Amino acid sequence: MDAAGDEFMKYRSPLVSRYASKEMAYNFSDRKKFSTWRKLWIYLAKAEKALGLPITDAQVEEMEARAEDIDFAMAAEEERKLRHDVMAHVHTFAHCCPAAAPIIHLGATSCYVGDNTDLIVLRDGFDILLPKLARVIDRLANFADKYANLPTLGFTHYQPAQLTTVGKRACLWLQDLTMDMRNLQRARDDLRFRGVKGTTGTQASFLQLFQGDHDKVEELDRMVTEMAGFKKAYLVTGQTYSRKVDIDSLSVLSSLGATVHKTCTDIRLLANLKEIEEPFEKEQIGSSAMPYKRNPMRAERCCSLARHLVALLFDPLQTASVQWLERTLDDSANRRISLPESFLTADIILSTLQNITEGLVVYPKVIERHIRHELPFMATENIIMAMVKAGGNRQDCHEKIRVLSQQAAAVVKQEGGDNDLLARVQADPYFAPILGQLDALLDPKTFIGRAPQQVSRFLSEEVYPLLEPYKSKMDVKIELEL
């Protein structure tokens, strides 16, 4: 069997093979990981040299020249022999840098490259997600602004309630997304570097290298942290950085998953009502058996993956709780799965949601028809008030309306007919004084309160300022594989 055919003989994660963007898939790739390890060894050597250790320019230059020259086959063979991934890559790097071989990884423990790389990858993962979330918010803000004034049935308990507007409802989704935006930014900015801490976090090996000079050890930590692009390092660690950092990172992604699930569930409910639909390709098939169907598959995909994203939070919660003393290794295999999968899943969800929000289709006539079915019931209080102003008695009018409403409800529920309350009111001589006002009393725009004004203020005060830093990244389009 050829190599291509062999690919179909083993499990491939659909997160990568089917859904994920190239940039996020690369962020968690072996190439990114091991090339970052080499950068970290170079940062360490440069800082140690600058602080007086016997490391030459030639050794540093050799490491820099061969940083991307990774022999993955040799590294795999070394790992089979040594049963240690970091030492396998130390040997592999040393093989192509013979002059620098004696000083690669000098004074460091495995977590120097492992944990620091994880922190770089988490940071870079957030940097990939934040512009994508900004684009979703931007597209949805455009939608909310466009439909700020379009009345629609509001629902509580999924039962028709007072009217709202299509744009105002979109702002409910937007508000959750803006909270996620701030959460992701905070989690990204709160990340620190593990830095140069040694085997149990005491920096003992580096204190020995610098012959008891504490200031040099602190400066080494500061220099390497700065080279890696971090403003701060954790002042205390065990062998690893605290696994609560992983909880913080994945909890904001899990929270984003909850937001997306709620939003896309709403879209699916509205698709059933035929009020709003996600984009549907000209040749797309909704069902193999029912040609007329237009299934909301993008929103369903988001819900499906969001459920996984929410569930992944339990991994770092449990991992952090069972780290013994300065560390155990039972975090490693779990983190190899939970960290990449959380970011890959969030990445896919945001790409899909951008595609949905760029192409949402609204059917105003269907929305209007649904309003017409329910509005006469909602307008009863307006009718009573108008009758009182015309000289009627509130209790008498209330009883008249109650009887007519019950009759109209029976037509709707028992006979499957349309809501004929308005016709019953018009036919009853009691309501003759206000017949000329009925159209105005039943104008949907008089039932939406301050919804349009709320949309305008929310977008201008909460949404647009949040998007300002991402203006240059707004034009990216999503080509979604279905």
Side-chain angles (χ1 to χ4, degrees):
M1 184 179 294
D2 61 24
D6 193 43
E7 279 299 300
F8 298 101
M9 299 297 287
K10 57 189 178 185
Y11 176 77
R12 296 182 299 164
S13 168
L15 290 175
V16 176
S17 66
R18 192 173 174 91
Y19 301 127
S21 66
K22 288 179 182 175
E23 64 265 30
M24 191 62 85
Y26 174 75
N27 190 50
F28 289 94
S29 68
D30 283 350
R31 168 68 67 180
K32 168 78 177 264
K33 177 165 77 171
F34 297 133
S35 62
T36 303
W37 286 10
R38 291 189 174 191
K39 286 175 188 172
L40 288 165
W41 283 322
I42 292 167
Y43 299 155
L44 182 63
K46 281 184 170 181
E48 288 174 338
K49 175 181 177 295
L51 292 169
L53 292 189
I55 295 171
T56 66
D57 287 336
Q59 287 174 313
V60 172
E61 288 165 8
E62 182 182 54
M63 291 167 74
E64 289 181 322
R66 306 305 294 272
E68 298 295 332
D69 182 15
I70 303 174
D71 187 335
F72 288 98
M74 177 185 286
E77 182 57 35
E78 289 288 334
E79 188 171 350
R80 272 192 292 274
K81 288 189 297 187
L82 303 173
R83 298 292 176 186
H84 197 290
D85 56 349
V86 173
M87 286 310 298
H89 278 270
V90 169
H91 286 202
T92 303
F93 198 19
H95 180 77
C96 64
C97 298
I103 56 92
I104 293 172
H105 198 67
L106 183 59
T109 189
S110 297
C111 285
Y112 168 67
V113 288
D115 270 31
N116 282 324
T117 292
D118 285 345
L119 290 161
I120 289 169
V121 167
L122 291 178
R123 178 197 65 191
D124 293 352
F126 281 124
D127 286 343
I128 292 169
L129 292 179
L130 281 162
K132 294 190 174 193
L133 179 52
R135 287 197 292 272
V136 169
I137 292 171
D138 174 72
R139 283 18 171 206
L140 204 48
N142 294 338
F143 179 85
D145 183 54
K146 181 176 180 180
Y147 294 104
N149 297 287
L150 181 62
T152 189
L153 277 179
F155 288 86
T156 59
H157 314 273
Y158 202 42
Q159 303 300 314
Q162 285 192 346
L163 300 192
T164 182
T165 69
V166 172
K168 168 66 194 297
R169 176 179 284 139
C171 285
L172 299 180
W173 305 333
L174 268 170
Q175 179 158 256
D176 288 354
L177 289 168
T178 58
M179 292 170 70
D180 292 315
M181 186 83 173
R182 287 190 285 269
N183 287 342
L184 263 68
Q185 190 67 59
R186 176 196 54 75
R188 189 254 184 243
D189 292 344
D190 280 354
L191 286 172
R192 297 189 186 187
F193 206 50
R194 177 191 174 275
V196 182
K197 296 296 194 294
T199 53
T200 56
T202 64
Q203 298 177 305
S205 58
F206 297 103
L207 192 63
Q208 188 176 359
L209 278 174
F210 288 103
Q211 299 177 324
D213 191 328
H214 291 269
D215 290 340
K216 283 191 173 181
V217 175
E218 288 210 0
E219 181 62 9
L220 177 72
D221 204 355
R222 189 200 66 76
M223 288 175 70
V224 172
T225 297
E226 185 179 286
M227 283 187 234
F230 286 79
K231 292 178 181 175
K232 288 183 177 179
Y234 297 106
L235 294 178
V236 294
T237 71
Q239 189 171 87
T240 66
Y241 68 76
S242 169
R243 294 313 184 212
K244 280 186 73 67
V245 174
D246 296 343
I247 297 175
D248 284 353
S249 295
L250 268 58
S251 67
V252 300
L253 300 184
S254 181
S255 183
L256 171 65
T259 297
V260 173
H261 201 294
K262 193 272 185 207
T263 300
C264 289
T265 299
D266 284 356
I267 291 170
R268 292 163 65 192
L269 292 170
L270 293 167
N272 170 260
L273 297 175
K274 297 181 173 60
E275 291 191 357
I276 291 179
E277 282 184 346
E278 66 178 37
F280 200 86
E281 309 299 337
K282 192 177 290 186
E283 297 183 12
Q284 185 176 330
I285 294 174
S287 166
S288 61
M290 293 164 279
Y292 57 86
K293 288 190 77 182
R294 291 167 69 95
N295 299 338
M297 62 170 294
R298 293 168 171 84
E300 288 173 316
R301 175 187 293 178
C302 283
C303 287
S304 185
L305 290 169
R307 199 175 305 133
H308 181 56
L309 183 54
V310 169
L312 281 167
L313 178 57
F314 288 99
D315 276 341
L317 281 168
Q318 293 180 77
T319 295
S321 72
V322 297
Q323 289 302 287
W324 300 350
L325 307 175
E326 278 64 51
R327 75 93 42 108
T328 75
L329 197 61
D330 68 348
D331 61 339
S332 177
N334 186 287
R335 294 173 72 251
R336 286 175 190 266
I337 299 166
S338 60
L339 296 184
E341 286 206 356
S342 292
F343 279 83
L344 288 162
T345 305
D347 177 71
I348 298 155
I349 285 171
L350 289 176
S351 296
T352 310
L353 193 53
Q354 180 183 333
N355 178 265
I356 293 171
T357 52
E358 283 177 346
L360 278 175
V361 181
V362 177
Y363 295 106
K365 294 295 182 186
V366 177
I367 292 171
E368 186 183 330
R369 186 171 77 243
H370 290 158
I371 290 174
R372 268 201 319 272
H373 287 167
E374 301 293 340
L375 195 59
F377 294 140
M378 297 175 191
T380 52
E381 185 62 27
N382 287 17
I383 293 171
I384 291 170
M385 297 303 292
M387 279 297 297
V388 170
K389 285 180 183 176
N393 177 285
R394 188 193 182 281
Q395 279 65 41
D396 292 343
C397 185
H398 185 278
E399 178 58 20
K400 286 274 190 185
I401 284 285
R402 187 188 71 80
V403 171
L404 296 180
S405 295
Q406 297 287 354
Q407 292 169 355
V411 170
V412 172
K413 293 179 179 178
Q414 295 171 20
E415 300 174 21
D418 290 337
N419 186 338
D420 63 0
L421 175 59
L422 187 56
R424 292 175 186 275
V425 169
Q426 289 170 327
D428 191 322
Y430 177 82
F431 294 100
I434 64 161
L435 287 185
Q437 301 176 46
L438 280 179
D439 284 347
L441 292 173
L442 286 157
D443 180 358
K445 282 191 164 44
T446 65
F447 290 81
I448 60 175
R450 299 190 64 255
Q453 291 74 21
Q454 288 181 354
V455 171
S456 177
R457 186 176 175 193
F458 175 66
L459 293 180
S460 62
E461 293 184 23
E462 298 277 350
V463 177
Y464 297 142
L466 199 63
L467 297 179
E468 194 65 33
Y470 299 95
K471 271 192 166 180
S472 63
K473 299 179 179 179
M474 281 298 162
D475 292 337
V476 178
K477 287 282 186 184
I478 296 296
E479 293 298 326
L480 195 65
E481 294 293 330
L482 293 178

